[in-house]
Amino acid sequence: MRVFKREQRSLFGEILDWMLTPLLLLWPISLALTWLVAQGLANKPFDRALVYNVQALAQQVRMGPDQQVQFSLPQPASELLRADETDLVYYQVLGGRGEHLSGDRDLPLPKPNQVKGTSYQVHIRDDEIRGLEVRVAYTWIRLDAKGTPPALVQVAETLEKRSVLAAEIIKGVMLPQFALLPLAVLLVWLALVHGIKPLKQLEERIRERKPDDLSPLDDKAVPMEVAPLVVSVNDLLERLKDSISTQKRFLADAAHQLKTPLAGLRMQADLAQRSGSSEEDLKKSLQQIGRASVQATRTVNQLLSLARAEGGVTHLPLQSCDMAALSSDVLQDCLASAMDKGLDLGYEGVAVGTPGAQVQGNPTLLKEMVRNLVENAIHYTPSTPERQGVITVRVLVDPYSKALVMQVEDNGPGIPLPERDLVFQPFYRALGTNVDGSGLGLPIVKGIAQQHGATVSIDMAHPGQTLPGACFTLRFIDPAL
């Protein structure tokens, strides 16, 4: 569980943190590295002086006539060697057998693992004498080639001057950094302010827009990193524009479609209220009022179904729907109206509960889709004693592709090929029909089918006959969707 949780993150603050944190962390590392470099720089000139002193002392070591190592250092040279106001200088000269010839007896000897090297080759090491850290330069001197052990010359110096020089170097490097660090923070701050200015400008452009301005934003006038966000906003604006257009079209269509039945209701009501109207006239007016109200109710229901189909079902719960069961329910509901017209309404196909006959969808919309197909067939299929109208609903499962197929077939006049795409447009009605309708049933079917991953097509049910009929086929591409 997060103990500290920000309600809202600041992009400016987060970027500033990520830029300043490494800067502030690297600054102490820079101090440490500068100290190490300063120590190396401070050692170099003083090490050269030690090397010079060792070489000068080594020149004073020679082999005497009695084959004894001798060392003679004039008094002025000894005083000059130790004439240092800051550091203490020690030196030591030992013969080949380790006998002390001159200098400080307690100066530490080189470690056994330190190679003697060639004659007069100077080496440098760190050591300690009398509790003081010293820098020691030493060399071995071979005075003859008879195997005589080499003599040792050492010069040591304390580290005070080196520390002072290293401190001066650090001051010279770090003091400017103390001044540059706040300046760097300020420059980072100003750079971020300038960097996020396009976001502020984008915000101002959006805020200055009029409420009805849904035109896309210019994604070329923003930085590359913000362009995907602008593209997403433009996509949202486009979808919002489509949604508003759908709502406006729905309101306009509703007003247009309801105007006729409402006008009829008003006219029949006026006729019924005329003075001198007979009982028969009143009964006819009431029948017309009933038919107009039924037509208005059906139109309103279809408009609402169309709006729901065009608006999407992403917010509605999805469940496994058995298309055989849904079709059976719709047939039960439509049986009475089919019998009134003398139609033979039946079902063929798989039984309820058959594997593969299920789709993931919204049962209300799927039932509305099937109902519109069946009612459309009932309205447009004629039935006479000589030739009874037949409507068949099928639910089939392809044994090879496992695709679910649903068909509604009739033996009515059918739909000509040039009009098969037009009938899916709202309020379009096929030419030559005298059936009352609003032209909304098939657009509802297409909208719901698309939402459930299905395709809808129209074919002739009985090619070559006088009434070829129509066969509407719904194919669910993936029944699992």
Side-chain angles (χ1 to χ4, degrees), residues 198-199 201-202 205 217-231:
L199 295 179
Q201 295 172 349
L202 178 62
R205 290 202 301 269
L217 301 170
D218 185 8
D219 58 347
K220 305 298 183 183
V222 297
M224 294 175 54
E225 293 76 10
V226 188
L229 174 62
V230 175
V231 171

Side-chain angles (χ1 to χ4, degrees), residues 27-328:
W27 187 65
I29 298 176
S30 174
L31 285 177
L33 293 177
T34 303
W35 172 261
L36 294 177
V37 172
Q39 291 291 336
L41 293 176
N43 281 331
K44 287 184 178 180
F46 298 108
D47 285 349
R48 285 196 295 267
L50 282 179
V51 170
Y52 175 78
N53 291 335
V54 168
Q55 291 175 342
L57 293 180
Q59 297 297 327
Q60 305 301 321
V61 179
R62 57 181 59 86
M63 183 69 72
D66 54 356
Q67 298 300 314
Q68 295 293 325
V69 179
Q70 297 179 355
F71 176 79
S72 60
L73 180 65
Q75 186 64 28
S78 176
E79 295 176 356
L80 182 61
L81 180 64
R82 297 181 181 270
D84 194 313
E85 298 179 355
T86 305
D87 286 305
L88 299 176
V89 179
Y90 307 91
Y91 78 95
Q92 183 185 67
V93 180
L94 299 178
R97 298 178 180 83
E99 66 274 18
H100 180 266
L101 300 179
S102 181
D104 302 279
R105 294 180 178 273
D106 54 352
L107 188 62
L109 296 176
K111 300 294 187 298
N113 58 351
Q114 293 174 337
V115 183
K116 295 182 179 181
T118 60
S119 182
Y120 295 101
Q121 182 180 359
V122 180
H123 303 274
I124 296 179
R125 72 177 190 277
D126 293 317
D127 218 320
E128 186 176 334
I129 181 174
R130 303 171 189 173
L132 299 176
E133 293 184 357
V134 291
R135 188 82 165 164
V136 182
Y138 62 97
T139 183
W140 302 92
I141 305 172
R142 299 184 184 277
L143 299 175
D144 55 28
K146 298 179 180 180
T148 304
L152 174 64
V153 178
Q154 297 188 102
V155 178
E157 183 182 51
T158 55
L159 308 179
E160 186 65 26
K161 292 194 299 293
R162 303 166 188 265
S163 300
V164 172
L165 180 57
E168 293 296 328
I169 294 175
I170 292 175
K171 289 179 183 179
V173 174
M174 299 312 299
L175 286 180
Q177 291 190 17
F178 278 108
L180 291 176
L181 185 61
L183 181 59
V185 173
L186 177 61
L187 291 177
V188 169
W189 180 283
L190 294 177
L192 280 178
V193 171
H194 183 269
I196 67 172
K197 187 177 292 184
L199 295 179
K200 184 67 175 178
Q201 295 172 349
L202 178 62
E203 175 193 358
E204 292 175 354
R205 290 202 301 269
I206 297 176
R207 193 179 298 277
E208 291 173 356
R209 283 185 164 224
K210 295 181 180 180
D212 58 346
D213 185 5
L214 297 179
S215 60
L217 301 170
D218 185 8
D219 58 347
K220 305 298 183 183
V222 297
M224 294 175 54
E225 293 76 10
V226 188
L229 174 62
V230 175
V231 171
S232 300
V233 172
N234 288 339
D235 181 64
L236 176 62
L237 290 175
E238 187 66 27
R239 286 184 279 133
L240 181 60
K241 185 189 296 184
D242 294 341
S243 177
I244 293 176
S245 299
T246 301
Q247 293 178 3
K248 289 182 178 179
R249 186 172 64 250
F250 172 77
L251 293 176
D253 294 342
H256 176 74
Q257 293 298 316
L258 292 177
K259 182 166 56 177
T260 300
L262 291 178
L265 285 173
R266 181 176 178 180
M267 182 183 68
Q268 294 299 327
D270 291 342
L271 291 175
Q273 293 177 3
R274 287 185 307 173
S275 59
S277 298
S278 64
E279 183 178 350
E280 185 66 24
D281 293 336
L282 183 60
K283 185 180 294 186
K284 290 182 179 180
S285 297
L286 290 176
Q287 290 176 350
Q288 292 293 334
I289 289 174
R291 283 195 292 269
S293 63
V294 170
Q295 182 182 357
T297 301
R298 175 176 170 78
T299 301
V300 170
N301 290 334
Q302 286 191 319
L303 285 170
L304 292 175
S305 298
L306 180 62
R308 187 165 57 227
E310 291 181 345
V313 295
T314 55
H315 61 287
L316 296 177
L318 301 180
Q319 61 187 63
S320 178
C321 303
D322 191 321
M323 293 303 298
L326 290 179
S327 300
S328 299

